[in-house]
Amino acid sequence: MEPTPEQSPHHAYPDHWEADVVLRDGGTARIRPITTDDAERLVSFYEQVSDESKYYRFFAPYPRLSDRDVHRFTHHDYVDRVGLAVTIGGEFIGTVRYDRIDDTGRPASAPADEAEVAFLVQDAHQGRGVASALLEHIAAVARERGIRRFAAEVLPANNKMIKVFRDGGYTQRRSFEDGSVHLTLDLEPTEKSLAVQRGREQRAEARSVQRLLAPGSVAVIGAGRNHGGVGRTVLRNLLAAGFTGRTYAVNRAFDEGLATLDGVPAHRSLGEIDEQVDLAVIAVPAHRVPEAVADCGEHGVQGLVVLSAGYAERGADGRELQRELVRQARSYGMRIIGPNAFGIINTAESVRLNASLAPESPARGRIGLFTQSGAIGIALLSGLHRRGAGLSSFISAGNRADVSGNDFLQYSFEDPDTDVALLYLESLGNPRKFTRLARRTAAVKPVVVVKGARHSGSTPPGHAVPVSRIPDATVSALMRQAGVIRVDTVTEMVDAGLLLAGQPLPAGPRVAILGNSESLGLLTYDACLAEGLRPRPPIDLTTAASPQDFRDALAEALADGTCDAVIVTAIPWVGENGEAETGDGQVLAEALTKAVAGGSAKPVAVVHVEIGGLAEALAAASSTAAPRPRTVTSAARTRAATTATTARATTTGTPAAQATTTGTGTPAAPEATTAPATPDTTAPEAAPRPGRIPAYPAAERAVRALAEAVKYAQWRRQAAVPGKVPEFLDDTIDEAGAAALIEAQLSTAPDPRGRPLTHDEARELLGRYGVDVRPTLPAPDPEAAVDAAARLGYPVALKTTAPHLRHRADLGGVRLDLADEEALRRAYGDLTDLLGKPAELLPVVQAMAPRGVDTVVRASIDAAAGAVLSFGLAGAPSELLGDTAHRLVPATDRDAAELIRSIRAAPVLFGWRGSAPVDTAALEELLLRLSRLVDDHPEVVSVALEPVVVAPQGLTVLGASVRLAPPPARNDLGPRRLPNY
């Protein structure tokens, strides 16, 4: 929307204030600045507001707006006077306005930093969170324009508006003056306001997905009269699954006399349906989709599943069609799954929805599945069905133009029917938000992710998302930090999901192995060692073992306190006639199920070779097991939402007991905590039938799934006690001084790409954060080198700093331990004879540091993922092997400790082969200081400390490079908004 000529060109229409938001009930709305073109909309909106609401807004009866009022409320300079509107279908449903005022309450301009604010929401839309969303956005606008406080006058009876201000989380002051409540809000975001904002975001986005997955009625638009075809297939799948709601077939090509199709009402348009339609499945050609979306929007449909193809996967023109589809749907308050989607499934008994192309609805289970690929979705559904596993929900998002994996995590976090979330992702639209949501969800239930398109270097067709330059290894490390179980293949995802959904989390890495094959036991033993587990010697029951022998041995292992998990290996046993008996898996399954029927706190997995029907029998046995009660309190969700770490399960006794969880890894009874984002109520979960023993056809697959469960359980235990940034750092950090240096450096180089700092500039900036970089002195000739050494003191090092030779000791560009002038002159001559002239080499002299282990510490900012802290050993081997660890910034003391211990070469730091252990405490402190620097100053977009020599006592930073640039825009801060790709 363009500004009119009446508006000052200096304050052009701020289109970056436009935003799509999800309201409390899961519907969407658009927030945008009010313009002079909105006069008629404003009058129409005001006419639909009740007299009571008008009275609360103007403190007097105010039946209609005068022409002067309309002019005032539609003409803004977007600086001192700003108005925002919430629209659905192009019409206003709520407005907010601020006017900058001075200390006396009169209209003012900058530098006055206070504004009077007032809201008005249409009565029919009150209670949907409209005012709360407006407050977030108008507060962000005000901060952008230099306003630091809002003042508001509210009548005491206007409890709804008082609650909006009170619940916003901002620091506020309240007084009673002249018959009204005077409120003053400080607009600086606080930890509480951010928690409130994210809590509202979580509930709204979860509700928006829940509305899609649990509709009361479904219309299939494009269901054809002929059998086959996408629309008719979805309609038949809906009926075959036993959908509990109302179903309609819609096709404008239907004959007027056609009353039903496959037994459901048939209509030419949604307007012919007398009842509310909650969900529309659109299966028409792409050029007819806009007409169908408009029909849905005009008749109150809440959400869309668009199966139609022909969008962003077809190139630039299709991408623009896709964007227009999203804009159109959101303008009516609808969310979209798709386009190019495979469909959605909800197996809840109260819903039984199969609005997908899957011919058979999966059994009811405890696994939630999200995929960005229809083909992968088909494979996963087939694999889970073949292994007897069930699903709670399934979303195949296709091009993921709107509803994404982030939305699915929001839904899975609080869904009582989901114990494990499986996601196949090909792109991450908002990596910062994904990491935050995944960490919170992983605190209460496992999240397993397969990331496709890892090495293609491009975004998959149809996925219009921001490009991230961080390598896949970094993405994997950041997922691990957030508690995500990252696996490489969809087969591994199913393997891990089956174990996590049916078995408790292991208390540690100790594994008991038992079975009737010594060879298979040894293979399992070796696989455990390869995965970092601690297996006990396999127990060989011999090939003569009966199912009762398996039962007794398993029961004994489960009662043994020296193991944390059990793997049962089984091959067909030999009968009396000497022939292998490959079938009765049923008997063995019953024996194993009875062994764990007492409610074991240890996970059990089975590795079998050619035992017919065993996996199916184990799955069937679990379906008749007595359900275990499971309850998740909102306190668990609150702790996860506010700390982004984990909820600690209430436990007693030994550390092993502290890792024990019920059925699937969800805490049995999280302790209560206080936070503003989530009310303290208990949400009982539907009673599942857990205890399913997963079966695997290969030892490696079972062990890999168990190893992932062990690492996840360890993350849960560690995350129960959040790390922190040590307070002592504050005494040695000059944040203001560093900010002044950065501002001065950037002001001299207005280039938006920024500029690298010189060695001395980098030393000064790092020194403000307590990071001492050993000085270097230039040595353009031998005499200068000798003078530099005299100033620094022998012994010294002579190094080249030319870019092509930097940190390349293997090329001879570094000479160490030069004890006197003679040695220095000789080294200088050798260096220039070997590598070139001094002007090309740029040699420098530096005092020698105590011997130790050479390491590399880096921090960089990726526009999509955020600031990342990295650590590894210096040298070619580490670079070749990719042996570098990563953590998101800000890093805690625990993150720093884990960072240096997570590289494969970490033993070198701790006394490998009899060497002296180095000062890892000093190294951890360095990591924390660097983390603070880039977190406090996002203009520091890149820092590399190389090498950092870590000695038995202390460390020395020998080289440092820093790059400054205007900070990239943050897409995870500010008011709530849906992405627009």
Side-chain angles (χ1 to χ4, degrees):
M1 189 172 294
E2 297 298 327
T4 66
E6 295 180 52
Q7 294 165 341
S8 168
H10 180 66
H11 306 306
Y13 178 81
D15 54 9
H16 64 286
W17 292 351
E18 295 181 353
D20 293 317
V21 297
V22 183
L23 301 177
R24 182 179 299 155
D25 61 358
T28 65
R30 186 159 188 79
I31 295 178
R32 64 168 177 83
I34 297 174
T35 74
T36 55
D37 294 332
D38 289 321
E40 292 185 7
R41 294 185 185 90
L42 182 65
V43 171
S44 175
F45 157 73
Y46 193 76
E47 290 175 348
Q48 298 177 63
V49 175
S50 70
D51 290 340
E52 181 183 50
S53 294
K54 293 173 182 175
Y55 185 87
Y56 284 154
R57 169 63 175 87
F58 292 103
F59 291 19
Y62 214 88
R64 65 185 57 85
L65 296 175
S66 66
D67 291 343
R68 181 178 180 182
D69 292 330
V70 173
H71 184 277
R72 176 189 172 204
F73 293 145
T74 56
H75 287 68
H76 306 95
D77 62 7
Y78 302 126
V79 178
D80 300 326
R81 302 182 311 281
V82 173
L84 300 180
V86 181
T87 67
I88 294 179
E91 299 301 319
F92 287 6
I93 66 168
T95 63
V96 65
R97 173 187 173 89
Y98 81 64
D99 293 88
R100 195 189 301 257
I101 58 176
D102 59 20
D103 294 340
T104 66
R106 295 172 178 267
S109 299
D113 60 359
E114 184 171 336
E116 187 175 42
V117 66
F119 297 77
L120 186 60
V121 178
Q122 203 174 94
D123 295 65
H125 294 277
Q126 291 179 11
R128 300 186 65 197
V130 174
S132 299
L134 278 173
L135 176 58
E136 291 180 19
H137 283 261
I138 196 69
V141 168
R143 289 193 297 268
E144 180 182 328
R145 296 311 195 197
I147 293 172
R148 297 292 173 256
R149 291 180 307 282
F150 273 162
E153 300 289 338
V154 185
L155 288 175
N158 193 356
N159 294 319
K160 292 180 180 179
M161 200 66 245
I162 292 174
K163 187 175 187 299
V164 168
F165 288 118
R166 184 185 67 231
D167 293 348
Y170 298 104
T171 303
Q172 62 175 273
R173 294 175 296 279
R174 187 183 309 184
S175 62
F176 188 78
E177 303 173 8
D178 299 327
S180 65
V181 178
H182 181 80
L183 295 168
T184 302
L185 277 72
D186 293 334
L187 299 183
E188 188 65 28
T190 65
E191 185 176 342
K192 183 179 179 181
S193 68
L194 186 60
V196 167
Q197 179 177 312
R198 288 178 173 173
R200 288 171 174 164
E201 173 192 65
Q202 188 276 320
R203 291 189 295 275
E205 292 179 357
R207 173 62 179 153
S208 73
V209 176
Q210 193 270 340
R211 295 205 315 178
L212 292 162
L213 287 173
S217 56
V218 177
V220 181
I221 302 177
R225 290 165 295 181
N226 299 324
H227 292 285
V230 173
R232 188 69 176 270
T233 298
V234 172
L235 179 63
R236 301 189 68 174
N237 291 344
L238 270 168
L239 300 176
F243 176 54
T244 59
R246 301 179 305 278
T247 306
Y248 306 95
V250 179
N251 193 324
R252 69 177 185 177
F254 285 159
D255 295 331
E256 292 187 10
L258 183 67
T260 63
L261 184 70
D262 287 338
V264 304
H267 301 276
R268 293 166 60 92
S269 70
L270 285 176
E272 297 179 2
I273 302 175
D274 295 332
E275 299 173 292
Q276 168 70 35
V277 174
D278 297 330
L279 176 69
V281 180
I282 298 180
V284 300
H287 70 274
R288 287 181 47 202
V289 169
E291 176 188 349
V293 172
D295 195 19
C296 292
E298 290 166 3
H299 292 91
V301 174
Q302 295 180 351
L304 307 175
V305 176
V306 181
L307 308 181
S308 311
Y311 288 90
E313 75 277 8
R314 297 289 180 86
D317 292 341
R319 188 175 296 112
E320 186 52 42
L321 283 177
Q322 182 168 298
R323 288 171 177 154
E324 182 55 38
L325 169 64
V326 174
R327 285 193 289 265
Q328 183 186 15
R330 288 180 180 173
S331 73
Y332 288 109
M334 299 182 294
R335 299 213 68 183
I336 294 178
I337 291 177
N340 197 26
F342 185 73
I344 60 176
I345 297 173
N346 184 352
T347 64
E349 187 62 27
S350 60
V351 181
R352 299 200 301 270
L353 173 73
N354 181 6
S356 78
L357 297 174
E360 184 173 0
S361 185
R364 187 182 179 194
R366 311 294 303 174
I367 297 174
L369 176 60
F370 177 91
T371 171
Q372 292 178 355
S373 163
I376 296 298
I378 295 171
L380 286 168
L381 289 174
S382 175
L384 289 165
H385 176 73
R386 187 172 59 252
R387 298 176 69 175
L391 292 178
S392 58
S393 59
F394 167 76
I395 295 178
S396 174
N399 291 2
R400 197 194 50 45
D402 182 20
V403 173
S404 68
N406 286 347
D407 296 294
F408 184 73
L409 284 175
Q410 300 277 40
Y411 171 77
S412 300
F413 173 67
E414 62 179 23
D415 178 33
D417 294 328
T418 298
D419 289 333
V420 180
L422 308 184
L423 296 92
Y424 171 78
L425 305 175
E426 292 179 344
S427 61
L428 294 175
N430 188 338
R432 294 178 195 252
K433 183 175 179 179
F434 176 82
T435 303
R436 170 169 57 86
L437 300 185
R439 178 188 288 271
R440 185 194 57 196
T441 305
V444 294
K445 58 188 69 174
V447 177
V448 187
V449 171
V450 172
K451 176 69 169 62
R454 293 180 295 170
H455 306 298
S456 64
S458 63
T459 302
H463 293 225
V465 298
V467 176
S468 175
R469 295 183 176 86
I470 58 177
D472 181 70
T474 306
V475 174
S476 184
L478 301 183
M479 284 189 179
R480 290 285 182 187
Q481 184 185 4
V484 172
I485 300 170
R486 169 82 182 270
V487 294
D488 293 328
T489 68
V490 292
T491 300
E492 291 177 356
M493 180 164 70
V494 172
D495 287 344
L498 290 176
L499 181 69
L500 293 163
Q503 295 294 304
L505 292 178
R510 302 170 301 176
V511 182
I513 303 169
L514 60 93
N516 62 351
S517 168
E518 181 181 11
S519 298
L520 188 54
L522 290 174
L523 287 173
T524 306
Y525 182 87
D526 290 343
C528 286
L529 291 176
E531 291 293 337
L533 301 177
R534 290 164 52 191
R536 290 170 44 183
I539 299 173
D540 183 14
L541 303 179
T542 76
T543 55
S546 66
Q548 182 62 42
D549 294 329
F550 274 90
R551 176 180 175 179
D552 294 341
L554 177 55
E556 182 179 351
L558 292 174
D560 188 348
T562 65
C563 73
D564 305 306
V566 183
I567 296 180
V568 178
T569 62
I571 63 171
W573 49 88
V574 179
E576 294 180 359
N577 59 1
E579 295 181 359
E581 297 182 3
T582 59
D584 200 357
Q586 176 71 39
V587 177
L588 180 57
E590 290 178 358
L592 297 176
T593 302
K594 290 177 180 178
V596 302
S600 167
K602 299 177 183 177
V604 177
V606 174
V607 177
H608 67 99
V609 177
E610 297 300 329
I611 299 185
L614 177 58
E616 295 80 0
L618 286 170
S622 69
S623 68
T624 58
R628 296 180 196 171
R630 300 172 65 253
T631 300
V632 173
T633 67
S634 66
R637 296 191 293 269
T638 298
R639 177 183 294 274
T642 55
T643 66
T645 53
T646 188
R648 185 187 309 184
T650 301
T651 55
T652 57
T654 65
Q658 294 178 4
T660 301
T661 57
T662 61
T664 61
T666 303
E671 64 185 20
T673 188
T674 301
T678 309
D680 189 12
T681 58
T682 300
E685 296 194 5
R689 293 188 172 104
R692 180 190 190 279
I693 302 175
Y696 302 88
E700 296 79 9
R701 289 173 58 179
V703 170
R704 192 173 297 118
L706 178 60
E708 295 295 351
V710 168
K711 287 183 281 190
Y712 170 68
Q714 182 183 15
W715 179 87
R716 283 271 291 266
R717 290 192 297 272
Q718 292 177 342
V721 182
K724 60 182 180 180
V725 177
E727 294 181 0
F728 72 87
L729 291 183
D730 297 334
D731 298 332
T732 55
I733 289 177
D734 181 7
E735 183 176 348
L741 287 174
I742 291 169
E743 182 179 3
Q745 295 297 337
L746 288 178
S747 64
T748 62
D751 189 338
R753 295 172 298 179
R755 57 166 294 229
L757 299 186
T758 66
H759 175 75
D760 290 340
E761 291 169 344
R763 282 191 66 228
E764 184 178 7
L765 176 61
L766 291 166
R768 301 285 183 173
Y769 274 71
V771 177
D772 295 324
V773 181
R774 182 151 293 202
T776 61
L777 296 177
D781 54 53
E783 298 304 322
V786 171
D787 291 341
R791 292 171 57 188
L792 296 173
Y794 289 99
V796 297
L798 179 66
K799 303 187 294 185
T800 63
T801 60
H804 66 287
L805 295 172
R806 187 175 294 145
H807 309 309
R808 291 297 308 274
D810 56 311
L811 297 180
V814 179
R815 305 300 168 93
L816 304 176
D817 289 318
L818 305 177
D820 51 36
E821 179 180 340
E822 181 181 355
L824 177 58
R825 289 182 180 276
R826 184 168 57 252
Y828 198 100
D830 292 344
L831 201 66
T832 52
D833 291 343
L834 176 66
L835 299 175
K837 299 178 180 179
E840 300 170 350
L841 304 181
L842 305 177
V844 296
V845 174
Q846 190 173 52
M848 285 295 298
R851 290 302 178 94
V853 177
D854 289 359
T855 65
V856 180
V857 175
R858 293 190 176 95
S860 60
I861 293 182
D862 180 84
V868 178
L869 188 66
S870 306
F871 171 76
L873 298 190
S878 291
E879 292 183 18
L880 287 171
L881 297 175
D883 190 17
T884 304
H886 311 274
R887 291 293 185 275
L888 282 176
V889 169
T892 66
D893 51 358
R894 173 171 291 153
D895 292 329
E898 292 175 352
L899 189 61
I900 65 175
R901 288 165 175 80
S902 58
I903 61 173
R904 283 170 285 177
V908 174
L909 302 170
F910 296 94
W912 186 58
R913 287 188 173 181
S915 61
V918 300
D919 193 348
T920 53
L923 185 56
E924 291 170 16
E925 181 180 336
L926 175 67
L927 290 165
L928 290 170
R929 290 181 182 277
L930 187 58
S931 170
R932 274 287 304 274
L933 172 64
V934 296
D935 188 44
D936 290 346
H937 307 284
E939 300 88 353
V940 182
V941 296
S942 175
V943 180
L945 308 181
E946 182 179 5
V948 177
V949 182
V950 190
Q953 295 292 328
L955 57 77
T956 307
V957 180
L958 295 181
S961 61
V962 177
R963 183 173 186 84
L964 303 181
R970 292 286 299 269
N971 57 5
D972 62 330
L973 296 177
R976 291 171 284 158
R977 64 173 61 216
L978 288 170
N980 290 306
Y981 299 130

